[in-house]
Amino acid sequence: MKILKKKNIKELSKINTPYGSVVTFFDDRDFPFSDMTVGFSTLNPLTRQRINHKFSQFMIYVLKGKCSIEIGNDKITLNPGDITLIPKNCPYKVINDNNDYVKIVYVATPLAKDPRDGHNYL
């Protein structure tokens, strides 16, 4: 197997939402065998978003800010340096109750067959 490297990372896509933005910088277009996507997400101050990834488990790593994740009756707080994994097809909320932006790195795997099915706001 050959080791692949991506240099000078550029945005593959950027989606602005009412909650912030999602920027993809790595997916199967770069490494066809990867079956994952990696990117940054920014959550606007004082926002809540409800999401479900039907086909992918979703890893969240907090770079900046503080947010909460709710799944059912469970709630955790994530600070910079914290990481969590959301199981596939598990609706959850990301909550930013602060006056600052939250910046995360995300990894979703496996990919949905159609990208429009991968990230569903509820």
Side-chain angles (χ1 to χ4, degrees), residues 22-91:
V22 178
V23 177
T24 300
F25 62 85
F26 172 99
D27 66 13
D28 61 345
R29 290 173 280 189
D30 296 305
F31 303 112
F33 58 84
S34 67
D35 200 28
M36 72 171 62
T37 186
V38 180
F40 290 111
S41 185
T42 302
L43 186 60
N44 292 337
L46 303 172
T47 55
R48 296 168 177 249
Q49 60 180 332
R50 201 157 173 258
I51 306 169
N52 186 26
H53 302 279
K54 291 182 182 178
F55 302 97
S56 305
Q57 55 188 347
F58 201 75
M59 186 275 306
I60 297 172
Y61 176 79
V62 178
L63 293 171
K64 179 184 176 198
K66 176 180 169 182
C67 65
S68 299
I69 305 289
E70 282 185 10
I71 298 177
N73 294 326
D74 292 334
K75 183 176 181 178
I76 61 169
T77 299
L78 298 174
N79 294 294
D82 291 346
I83 193 169
T84 191
L85 183 66
I86 311 292
K88 70 179 174 178
N89 203 23
C90 182

